[in-house]
Amino acid sequence: MGKFVTKKGNDGQYYFNLKADNGQIILSSEGYSSSSARENGIESVKTNAPNGDHYDRKTSSNGKYYFNLKAVNGQIIGKSELYESSSSRDNGIESVKKNAPDATIVEE
């Protein structure tokens, strides 16, 4: 089972990373102005992660692959790391779908 690891950044913003069982970060958040806003973001990821239509599959300017997870309103609620292949990116999406809905939340 995955977990959301939360932290407060040096910039005063609140962040989370979704980590898979192996400890690898599979989704990262934007900065939030409060811990309650971050918690709302986590709940949005849990809700939206199972829906394949909420993932934008992208290619970066350096030819690497990544994805964004979007809420129903189109707002980006999480971004992936960069992958070497589109199949690795797609595996990352499947990992978010599997891990996010039941992930625990831990403070770093």
Side-chain angles (χ1 to χ4, degrees), residues 7-108:
K7 67 178 182 178
K8 185 174 182 180
N10 294 333
D11 59 1
Q13 297 280 302
Y14 296 83
Y15 298 90
F16 66 80
N17 289 316
L18 175 61
K19 292 187 176 185
D21 288 338
N22 63 6
Q24 181 179 4
I25 295 172
I26 53 177
L27 193 73
S28 297
S29 75
E30 64 179 358
Y32 292 93
S33 59
S34 68
S35 60
S36 62
R38 177 187 59 204
E39 302 309 314
N40 289 339
I42 290 171
E43 289 307 313
S44 184
V45 169
K46 287 182 170 195
T47 299
N48 290 285
N51 188 333
D53 293 338
H54 289 229
Y55 292 88
D56 276 344
R57 291 163 173 82
K58 302 280 193 177
T59 305
S60 67
S61 58
N62 66 358
K64 304 228 182 210
Y65 301 88
Y66 68 101
F67 63 87
N68 294 322
L69 174 60
K70 292 186 171 185
V72 173
N73 65 5
Q75 180 180 354
I76 295 173
I77 52 177
K79 296 181 178 186
S80 74
E81 65 179 355
L82 294 175
Y83 295 95
E84 295 295 325
S85 69
S86 60
S87 62
S88 293
R89 175 195 57 205
D90 293 344
N91 288 340
I93 290 171
E94 291 306 312
S95 184
V96 172
K97 287 180 179 180
K98 177 183 135 202
N99 285 285
D102 299 317
T104 58
I105 301 171
V106 296
E107 180 74 27
E108 191 170 76

